[in-house]
Amino acid sequence: MEVLCFGVEPPGLGPPHRAVGLIFSMLLGVWSAQALEMSVGKIPFLEAVNGSTVMLPCTYSSCIGIKNLYFNWQFNDNGTMQKVCESTIASEEVEPNVNVLRERVEFVGKNHHNNISILLWNITFEDGGQYTCFGRNPKEKDKNHSAIFTLIVVDELRVVDNTLTIMIASAVGGAIALLMGFMLLKNFTLFVISKLEEKNKECLVTSSGIDNTENGLSGSKADSKPTPKKK
């Protein structure tokens, strides 16, 4: 029996074996790209106050679409998984008939934009824990996937101390204001210097004209005396 190891060519395996391995790898890549994926968002946890109402988000995606997608929500009750709700979605954009198995739970996803989120009303400390959003797609040969969302129930939300943030913001603001003041002072100084230089140039030109007049040079306004005639 021959064993194919992708990435390393065993002795004696020719081009046909490499071609088969390449095709198999491509098929695996296509299959993984089509795989069902469940998502609870970029932040998979929520801290909420006792007695409030919260939403547990979940969406699904599949490159080849769905057909009779089965999904459910489960709650991890001290190691025992308890179903919260379940249903089957015939196809995209079809609103499922959801079977809710837990009190104070409402299905709000409606399957719009592949949304299968649920709402928990009047939560208690017993509702805190891990919730799993599970899906199985028969169109992908029952490919399944799940995502976990953690709910943390507290007496009251913690007050965030913004003192350090305010200090940093004040320091940055002060530095920016100082820099702007320095730039304005610099521009004003350069403006005054340029005006003084222009005035000095005008004074030099005027002074040069006066000197030429006093010295009786050509072009000056000094009266020229006629040459005396010989007797």
Side-chain angles (χ1 to χ4, degrees), residues 12 31 38 52 71 102 138 222:
W31 177 254
M38 314 299 287
S52 62
F71 77 90
R102 190 182 178 96

Side-chain angles (χ1 to χ4, degrees), residues 47-185:
E47 189 173 279
V49 179
N50 180 33
S52 62
T53 298
V54 298
M55 184 182 71
L56 307 186
C58 184
T59 58
Y60 65 85
S61 61
S62 174
C63 292
I64 64 174
I66 64 166
K67 183 177 181 180
N68 296 326
L69 171 71
Y70 170 80
F71 77 90
N72 65 40
W73 276 92
Q74 302 177 58
F75 174 63
N76 188 349
D77 186 9
N78 295 324
T80 302
M81 301 302 293
Q82 297 182 354
K83 284 185 181 180
V84 176
C85 66
E86 63 179 351
S87 184
T88 299
I89 304 175
S91 60
E92 288 88 348
E93 301 300 328
V94 174
E95 184 173 345
N97 184 17
V98 181
N99 183 22
V100 178
L101 305 172
R102 190 182 178 96
E103 295 181 352
R104 297 175 288 103
V105 174
E106 179 183 355
F107 180 76
V108 294
K110 310 300 181 185
N111 194 34
H112 296 160
H113 304 292
N114 301 349
N115 191 346
I116 53 175
S117 305
I118 60 175
L119 205 66
L120 300 185
W121 291 87
N122 193 25
I123 61 173
T124 64
F125 291 103
E126 287 74 18
D127 294 324
Q130 292 184 342
Y131 291 81
T132 301
C133 180
F134 171 85
R136 182 175 63 245
N137 189 15
K139 193 172 183 178
E140 295 179 272
K141 296 184 178 180
D142 287 335
K143 179 70 178 181
N144 64 77
H145 189 251
S146 61
I148 297 176
F149 190 87
T150 302
L151 175 63
I152 305 170
V153 183
V154 297
D155 280 324
E156 58 182 9
L157 296 179
R158 292 172 293 179
V159 178
V160 179
D161 187 2
N162 294 323
T163 303
L164 180 60
T165 304
I166 295 174
M167 292 176 62
I168 295 174
S170 300
V172 173
I176 294 175
L178 182 62
L179 179 60
M180 292 180 64
F182 173 76
M183 294 299 296
L184 290 173
L185 180 61

Side-chain angles (χ1 to χ4, degrees), residues 205-224:
V205 172
T206 305
S207 175
S208 177
I210 294 174
D211 291 343
N212 290 338
T213 302
E214 291 177 350
N215 294 330
L217 297 179
S218 176
S220 67
K221 295 182 180 179
D223 294 335
S224 58

Side-chain angles (χ1 to χ4, degrees), residues 178-208:
L178 182 62
L179 179 60
M180 292 180 64
F182 173 76
M183 294 299 296
L184 290 173
L185 180 61
K186 178 183 176 182
N187 291 336
F188 179 74
T189 304
L190 292 176
F191 175 77
V192 172
I193 291 175
S194 65
K195 289 298 182 181
L196 290 175
E197 289 179 349
E198 291 178 0
K199 188 174 182 180
N200 289 335
K201 288 181 180 179
E202 293 177 357
C203 291
L204 288 175
V205 172
T206 305
S207 175
S208 177

